[in-house]
DNA sequence: TTGCAAATGCAATATATTTGCAATCATGGA
DNA sequence: TCCATGATTGCAAATATATTGCATTTGCAA
């Protein structure tokens, strides 16, 4: 939807950053993807003319810093990114055999107790966390671990 | 300690893999480090003559596959690795401002309920998880977020 | 001690990410 | 609407990280 992209552009302006087509596309693509995407995957999905790869990287960095996007670390060579929709707190489930990534929304995710422990023990102010699960997906059953 | 390295070599032989000095050193270094290390850091700590970087990578891959080592994903450019000591279940706490990594052992880490939910919802057999916390360390206080 | 499979070093290659800089664009004000 | 200006972009080059092929060397069981 173009509306998604327009809304995305609006968010940029509000935050004091010029809205460009590339930025709108990136945000739209992330908003529409159920799974976190790598910079390469994001760029591939942008219709021509595609922005340069460096532009994609620069914008992802910016978007993370202003809170529009989050990065997800999944033990891969490349980082992945997802839209920072506040509502849906989701976790990733990664198959060690085939690499498939699924998304899971827990009934409740209460790590605040642990976060408080950390604050107490290390004086560390926790702002967010990252929780991923690994194993074998339904299709791969109990097959051998790949790595 | 050399004993650490010898013990490490023993573990390789038991698992049917020739024990080499490089392998022993890598495992020793990981066992002695309180924090997960990058391949580069590991190699830097091996006394001369150092194995080639490619050897370090190959061995880390092997060690992960036979369960001697785990990889840790911390939103960085490079992966990190830690010894897979079964007993101590630890989590990482990363400062977004200065990049400092600390280690934290929770009083209890009960994610088995969530793991069961995942098994039920996705037919996904969860074998392990990865949980990292991000925020501002004591030294950095409430300073600006870096990325 | 010897033979062989496995591991290593080295060099080349692939992939991911970052940076400098000139050209171009987006936005607010005239 | 047009313009000035600072921010963004494309491009090319530089870095960082990781992987691979192959000839040589090594670990280890017999």
């Amino acid at each position: 939807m173009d509306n998604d992209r327009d809304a995305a552009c609006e968010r940029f302006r509000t935050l004091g950053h010029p809205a460009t087509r590339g930025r709108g596309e990136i945000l739209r693509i992330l908003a529409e993807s159920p799974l976190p995407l790598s910079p390469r995957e994001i760029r591939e999905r942008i219709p021509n003319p595609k922005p340069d790869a460096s532009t994609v990287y620069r914008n992802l960095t910016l978007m993370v810093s202003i809170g529009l996007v989050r990065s997800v670390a999944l033990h891969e060579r490349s980082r992945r990114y997802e839209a920072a929709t506040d509502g849906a707190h989701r976790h990733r489930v990664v198959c060690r055999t085939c690499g498939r990534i699924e998304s899971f929304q827990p009934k409740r995710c209460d790590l605040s107790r642990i976060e408080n422990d950390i604050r107490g023990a290390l004086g560390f102010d926790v702002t967010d966390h990252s929780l991923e699960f690994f194993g074998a997906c339904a299709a791969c059953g109990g097959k051998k671990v790949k790595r």
Side-chain angles (χ1 to χ4, degrees), chain A residues 59-99:
Chain A
N59 279 322
L60 286 170
T61 302
L62 169 70
M63 292 179 206
V64 169
S65 77
I66 61 180
L68 291 181
V69 161
R70 276 190 295 262
S71 77
V72 182
L74 294 181
H75 296 250
E76 295 174 304
R77 183 131 139 193
S78 159
R79 284 176 204 145
R80 287 176 178 275
Y81 296 85
E82 66 180 1
T85 49
D86 10 80
H89 188 57
R90 295 182 146 272
H91 295 294
R92 309 302 166 183
V93 186
V94 183
C95 178
R96 293 257 196 218
T97 304
C98 68

Side-chain angles (χ1 to χ4, degrees), chain A residues 12-102:
Chain A
F12 274 104
R13 290 197 200 89
T14 304
L15 292 165
H17 297 277
T20 62
R21 190 183 75 99
R23 286 177 176 173
E25 293 288 4
I26 292 173
L27 219 44
R28 174 187 63 80
I29 286 166
L30 289 178
E32 290 175 359
S33 170
L35 298 177
L37 303 173
S38 68
R40 166 184 293 274
E41 290 167 336
I42 293 168
R43 181 162 182 272
E44 279 167 358
R45 299 184 187 200
I46 300 179
N48 288 318
K50 296 183 191 305
D52 188 76
S54 66
T55 297
V56 175
Y57 280 105
R58 282 189 278 227
N59 279 322
L60 286 170
T61 302
L62 169 70
M63 292 179 206
V64 169
S65 77
I66 61 180
L68 291 181
V69 161
R70 276 190 295 262
S71 77
V72 182
L74 294 181
H75 296 250
E76 295 174 304
R77 183 131 139 193
S78 159
R79 284 176 204 145
R80 287 176 178 275
Y81 296 85
E82 66 180 1
T85 49
D86 10 80
H89 188 57
R90 295 182 146 272
H91 295 294
R92 309 302 166 183
V93 186
V94 183
C95 178
R96 293 257 196 218
T97 304
C98 68
R100 177 198 310 224
I101 301 170
E102 300 193 44

